[in-house]
Amino acid sequence: MTQHPPLTAASSHPTTREVLVGQVIAVTGADQGYGRTISAALARAGASVVLIGNNSETLAAAASQMEQAGGNTIPIKADVGVPLDWLSAQTRILDIFGSLHGIVHLADKRAHTEFTMLSENEWMELFNCNVKSSVAIAQIIRRRLPGTWLTIIGPHTDERGLHVHPQRGAIQGLVEHAHREELRLNLLLPTRASSGDEALDRPVTNAVLSLASPGMASLRGNVIEVPLPPIPKLRVHEVPFL
């Protein structure tokens, strides 16, 4: 089982705690990777955070840890690659909180095989997780919650293989033209996958927090590459013995 580093306690500084007070924000893939660190940062900034993912146990564990650090979070199990699942989750959020101000959607699932060996099933899984889910969430927002903003974390720029370009291009096109439907969409492209270290991944969380700020409501249609420091390599004597 993957071990996650402990999340730091919420800051008591008022400018940190009050930035997003009153906002309800949903985060997909919230129990791992960028989703987990972004959720914790949003909670520390005062938002009520809805953790969405496929694994009930890891979602509950993440929510519990963030609650202990002073955040207001709830877990909801849903497969956002299935539009009806997302619609059900969104309805439940509205039943609980009465509003949904923003969504951070993790559309950054990576392939485990190179392009020439990618099977049809693997490609369709990537498409469903990254592209189909982004379009479906945007469509449901436009239909039911046109004032809700959406920030998408897209395929990382260090990912190689021809298959990543149609995914990234489709999501970028969605974001750049969303203004035609009066939607507030933005896309972040991290330069690598999550390290699991909150400090090393902080540029991504900072970008999400900036876009979530009420003062940035006019920003839409932006595709932003987020440079990240490299993940330190363990020296031989630092590798733990099993």
Side-chain angles (χ1 to χ4, degrees):
M1 183 174 67
T2 304
Q3 296 293 319
H4 297 285
L7 300 172
T8 56
S11 170
S12 59
H13 195 286
T15 57
T16 300
R17 289 292 304 163
E18 297 174 3
V19 173
L20 299 178
V21 167
Q23 283 208 41
V24 179
I25 301 174
V27 182
T28 70
D31 54 344
Q32 59 186 335
Y34 288 125
R36 186 181 176 94
T37 55
I38 288 168
S39 297
L42 290 169
R44 286 196 298 271
S48 296
V49 185
V50 183
L51 311 182
I52 296 178
N54 294 323
N55 189 308
S56 298
E57 292 184 3
T58 55
L59 283 173
S64 175
Q65 194 171 29
M66 292 175 204
E67 287 277 353
Q68 291 174 15
N72 180 26
T73 63
I74 64 164
I76 295 180
K77 181 182 179 182
D79 181 353
V80 294
V82 178
L84 285 177
D85 252 26
W86 167 254
L87 183 58
S88 176
Q90 181 176 290
T91 300
R92 188 175 171 196
I93 294 168
L94 294 176
D95 287 342
I96 295 171
F97 293 102
S99 59
L100 177 58
H101 298 88
I103 301 163
V104 181
H105 176 43
L106 276 290
D108 62 345
K109 184 176 180 62
R110 297 173 72 108
H112 297 295
T113 55
E114 61 182 28
F115 173 69
T116 54
M117 301 301 293
L118 196 68
S119 70
E120 180 180 357
N121 286 340
E122 288 175 300
W123 162 245
M124 289 309 300
E125 184 180 5
L126 289 171
F127 179 84
N128 288 338
C129 291
N130 296 342
V131 181
K132 178 184 173 184
S133 60
S134 298
V135 174
I137 291 173
Q139 182 187 42
I140 294 171
I141 289 174
R142 179 63 181 87
R143 188 186 303 150
R144 295 171 176 265
L145 294 170
T148 298
W149 56 261
L150 172 61
T151 296
I152 301 173
I153 311 296
H156 318 132
T157 60
D158 71 338
E159 189 173 357
R160 299 292 177 259
L162 195 56
H163 53 275
V164 74
H165 296 286
Q167 298 176 70
R168 192 183 294 129
I171 299 170
Q172 181 170 335
L174 172 71
V175 168
E176 290 179 338
H177 297 282
H179 64 89
R180 297 181 180 181
E181 294 290 343
E182 299 181 356
L183 287 167
R184 181 183 164 194
L185 270 61
N186 292 286
L187 173 62
L188 300 179
L189 299 174
T191 54
R192 58 161 170 76
S194 171
S195 66
D197 184 313
E198 196 167 357
L200 291 175
D201 294 345
R202 186 165 291 124
V204 176
T205 60
N206 286 346
V208 169
L209 289 171
S210 295
L211 290 172
S213 171
M216 297 295 185
S218 61
L219 288 183
R220 61 186 67 200
N222 296 286
V223 178
I224 304 168
E225 182 172 320
V226 183
L228 291 157
I231 301 173
K233 294 182 179 179
L234 289 176
R235 297 183 179 89
V236 174
H237 68 274
E238 294 176 329
V239 177
F241 291 100
L242 300 179

